[in-house]
Amino acid sequence: MTYTIYIGDRTFSSWSLRGWLMLEKFGLPYQTRMVGLYAGTMAAELAHIAPARTVPAMTTPEGFVLTDSLAMAETLVERHPDLALYPHDPAARALARSICAEMHSGFGALRGQCPNMIAHVWDGFTPSDAVLADLARIEELWALARARHGTDSPWLFGDYSLADVFYAPVAMRITTYGLPVSAAAQTYVDAHLRDPAFVDWRKDAMTEIHDPWPYPMDLPCRDWPVNHS
C-alpha cells in the first residue's frame, strides 16, 4: 500500500519539500513522480489526478487525491495515529497544529521576496522591514515551542514532527539569503541543514538543470554551507 507524491523541481519548490518530508521522515511507503513545474508541463502531468493543479499533490493507496500540503498532513495524521506526526501531548499538539497553519497561510513577505532556492547562497542580500517582521514572528513561534515542549533534541517539540516539516523551507530561506536570526534560531536552522533527508533532497536537486534560472538576482553567490555532520 503505497502513496504517490507529485513534486516539482527540488531546487526551488519549497512546498514539494514539505510534502516529501511528510512521507520520508515518518517511514511511510511512497513513490515519487516529478512534475515539470518550470518546464510548463505541470498541468498535463497532473491532469489524471484532478483536481490537482499544483505541487505537491498526493494520492493515497486507494487513489484518493490530496491537492494541498495541509490537507496531506491532516490526512496522514488521520490515517496513521500510531505515528507521532504531531506531538501526542494535547497542549503540544495544539501548538504544533497552530504554527503549521500559520506557516501555511502566512509570512507572505518572506515567501515572496525570498524565493526558495537551495543551489547556493546569495551574498549581500538586504531583507526588507516586512521580511524582518516575518522572521521575528517565526522566531517567536520557534522559541515558544522550544520553551514549552522542547527537550535536548534540536527539533521544536522534542521529536521531529510536522511542525519541523512545515518550517524546513524557512530554514532553507534563512540560509540562502543569509537572513539575520538569533543563535538559538540558527541552531535550529543548522539541524535542518544536517538532516539526512534534506541532504539527500539537495543532492538530487543539484542534478537538475535550469535554463533560464527562475529567480535571478543581481548579487554574487557563494557555496551552500557544508553542514552534514
Side-chain angles (χ1 to χ4, degrees):
M1 298 292 282
T2 301
Y3 295 93
T4 301
I5 180 79
Y6 295 81
I7 64 172
D9 308 61
R10 291 179 176 89
T11 305
F12 302 103
S13 183
S14 60
W15 288 107
S16 292
L17 173 59
R18 290 182 178 94
W20 180 81
L21 284 172
M22 294 178 200
L23 299 167
E24 173 69 19
K25 290 293 291 183
F26 294 96
L28 294 169
Y30 71 94
Q31 56 185 346
T32 302
R33 295 285 184 267
M34 294 296 299
V35 172
L37 178 58
Y38 293 95
T41 58
M42 182 165 65
E45 290 165 345
L46 294 178
H48 68 291
I49 55 166
R53 62 185 181 88
T54 58
V55 288
M58 186 181 77
T59 57
T60 70
E62 301 87 354
F64 306 149
V65 178
L66 283 304
T67 65
D68 179 273
S69 298
L70 197 56
M72 290 168 54
E74 293 294 337
T75 298
L76 293 175
V77 169
E78 178 182 78
R79 292 170 63 94
H80 300 281
D82 54 314
L83 299 178
L85 284 96
Y86 284 129
H88 289 307
D89 174 74
R93 194 177 186 89
L95 181 58
R97 264 200 168 103
S98 295
I99 69 174
C100 285
E102 186 164 346
M103 176 66 252
H104 185 269
S105 62
F107 309 120
L110 176 65
R111 289 155 63 176
Q113 297 176 35
C114 302
N116 190 75
M117 188 279 294
I118 58 173
H120 54 257
V121 175
W122 292 117
D123 200 4
F125 179 80
T126 301
S128 69
D129 289 344
V131 168
L132 293 175
D134 279 353
L135 287 173
R137 175 59 177 171
I138 289 165
E139 286 213 47
E140 179 184 0
L141 296 175
W142 290 357
L144 183 64
R146 295 298 304 279
R148 289 183 179 177
H149 307 290
T151 65
D152 291 336
S153 161
W155 306 116
L156 294 177
F157 292 89
D159 293 331
Y160 191 96
S161 74
L162 286 172
D164 302 299
V165 167
F166 272 75
Y167 283 88
V170 173
M172 303 307 108
R173 283 178 162 92
I174 289 170
T175 302
T176 301
Y177 295 91
L179 299 177
V181 295
S182 67
Q186 187 62 53
T187 296
Y188 179 62
V189 169
D190 290 344
H192 283 286
L193 298 184
R194 292 192 300 268
D195 182 56
F198 172 70
V199 172
D200 287 345
W201 175 273
R202 186 172 182 274
K203 181 179 178 181
D204 287 339
M206 297 309 293
T207 67
E208 298 173 354
I209 297 173
H210 299 279
D211 186 15
W213 192 258
Y215 302 109
M217 297 195 75
D218 188 20
L219 288 172
C221 61
R222 50 188 169 86
D223 290 343
W224 188 265
V226 178
N227 198 358
H228 299 167
S229 59

